[in-house]
Amino acid sequence: MGAGTSQDVWGSWILERRDGGAGASRSRLFERLAPVRDQILQGTRIGEGGTLMDVGCGDGLVSLGALDLVGPSGKVVFVDISQQNLDFCRQAVEERGQLERAAFRFASADRLDGIDDESVDAITTRAVLIYLPHKHLAFEEFHRALRPGGRISVWEPINAHGEPEPPDTILGFDLGELAPQSTKVREAFDRALPPDRDPMLDFDERDVLSWVEAAGFTDLELRLEVYDEPPRPPADWEAFLDSSPNPLAPTWREAIDEALAENEVEPFLAGFRSLAECGTGRYRRAGAHIIGVKPA
Ligand SMILES: C[S@@+](CC[C@H](N)C(=O)[O-])C[C@H]1O[C@@H](n2cnc3c(N)ncnc32)[C@H](O)[C@@H]1O
């Protein structure tokens, strides 16, 4: 379904498919993301009375965290191309009784329609630009929307450090001993998101730095974090099968059902489960946090 309807690909991923809808996986994800959120917000140096815009707000990880920082006289502008995510955030803000300090805009990061020039003090973004084919346009828009002296604090996964993965490895799980079925499942993921046309793989932190600089930001700070670790055993196996690594990819269950014959599914699942639960494999996760200032 398209953006603007009650269900959309971004909304259904954030609110269901990212963690298969299970509470245990969701709280584990939040534990991992909370320090990233804090780091992003600290990078903005936003305080009482400021206006912060969070672009690609999702379910509000960063933007809901900003509401208390800006206080009753400040404003948080929630921006997303998913009406479902914007509605979710609006409800969360309403439940906190803080609607008067929030605004909601349906707009794309690379074309911030409805956002005035020099109208915000800080811009945050986490895991959004990775999906854009022309990522530099977003930094030009951020520069336009910021007041002089305003700051961007952007954190993006740098998937090019961990992908493409070795054959028969899927999202870090080494499933080589389940070949040829694992090869077919891996091909189903690759068909959905061909690695050579994947906007999540066509850049690294040096590109981010050069786009930010070219857009006119100064006082740049760039931090790259790289973690090389075994994939974590699923917190809830059924929910794990209903989860997908990103909004453009199938869930494990969808990929397995598409790739394998009916009689291959159960034996593959049994083998996969025992490998996954003992944490076989390795995955390299990386993320870049960039801060920049629009000159006053
Ligand atoms: C991986 S989620 C991240 C959500 C949130 N920033 C967080 O840190 O949890 C990506 C978000 O970006 C939004 N998004 C995708 N493409 C976008 C675009 N071109 N402009 C603005 N938001 C976009 C999606 O709707 C989704 O909410």
Side-chain angles (χ1 to χ4, degrees):
M1 284 202 209
T5 55
S6 59
Q7 273 276 337
D8 58 63
V9 64
W10 300 103
S12 63
W13 184 70
I14 287 277
L15 304 172
E16 293 155 31
R17 291 164 64 95
R18 178 164 62 165
D19 48 28
S25 324
R26 194 158 291 178
S27 41
R28 202 159 84 173
L29 179 68
F30 185 75
E31 263 170 44
R32 183 164 68 76
L33 294 182
V36 179
R37 173 204 55 198
D38 295 345
Q39 187 185 325
I40 294 170
L41 286 171
Q42 276 162 18
T44 66
R45 299 206 193 144
I46 199 79
E48 287 266 333
T51 298
L52 178 144
M53 175 165 69
D54 184 36
V55 178
C57 59
D59 59 357
L61 174 78
V62 178
S63 30
L64 293 174
L67 283 169
D68 291 331
L69 294 177
V70 301
S73 57
K75 188 143 236 150
V76 176
V77 185
F78 294 70
V79 175
D80 208 288
I81 54 161
S82 160
Q83 190 58 46
Q84 199 183 352
N85 285 343
L86 289 170
D87 291 345
F88 180 91
C89 289
R90 177 188 289 274
Q91 193 178 333
V93 178
E94 190 168 13
E95 281 163 14
R96 293 161 166 233
Q98 294 178 328
L99 268 182
E100 77 293 345
R101 62 177 91 164
F104 302 88
R105 298 280 179 270
F106 185 92
S108 181
D110 51 5
R111 212 189 121 165
L112 290 168
D113 290 339
I115 305 294
D116 290 339
D117 294 356
E118 304 195 348
S119 59
V120 302
D121 300 303
I123 297 178
T124 54
T125 286
R126 190 199 75 88
V128 177
L129 307 185
I130 188 170
Y131 303 111
L132 301 185
H134 305 295
K135 299 166 181 63
H136 67 283
L137 296 177
F139 292 108
E140 292 171 13
E141 278 294 80
F142 293 177
H143 193 271
R144 177 186 71 73
L146 271 179
R147 295 200 179 102
R151 299 167 72 87
I152 52 167
S153 179
V154 171
W155 192 102
E156 287 295 320
I158 308 289
N159 288 359
H161 283 279
E163 295 182 41
E165 296 183 272
D168 291 321
T169 303
I170 312 176
L171 299 166
F173 294 103
D174 178 357
L175 304 181
E177 68 184 68
L178 303 179
Q181 284 77 18
S182 52
T183 312
K184 294 193 256 180
V185 175
R186 161 82 186 257
E187 284 166 358
F189 276 108
D190 288 349
R191 263 195 305 282
L193 211 54
D196 57 342
R197 282 185 276 129
D198 183 349
M200 291 183 269
L201 291 183
D202 68 359
F203 73 106
D204 68 15
E205 65 284 355
R206 284 171 175 255
D207 298 307
V208 176
L209 190 64
S210 67
W211 296 325
V212 171
E213 198 165 19
F217 290 97
T218 60
D219 299 81
L220 307 184
E221 289 173 38
L222 172 70
R223 267 175 224 99
L224 177 69
E225 291 173 22
V226 181
Y227 300 98
D228 207 5
E229 44 192 26
R232 294 182 72 180
D236 175 322
W237 176 248
E238 292 302 318
F240 169 76
L241 290 179
D242 287 322
S243 70
S244 75
N246 69 68
L248 312 178
T251 63
W252 280 96
R253 207 186 295 277
E254 287 165 348
I256 290 166
D257 285 348
E258 184 206 311
L260 303 186
E262 224 174 294
N263 63 346
E264 293 175 305
V265 171
E266 281 314 315
F268 178 79
L269 283 176
F272 180 19
R273 183 170 186 168
S274 71
L275 288 172
E277 290 185 341
C278 57
T280 172
R282 242 177 155 74
Y283 191 70
R284 182 166 292 182
R285 270 188 308 117
H289 180 203
I290 187 141
I291 295 171
V293 179
K294 176 171 173 172

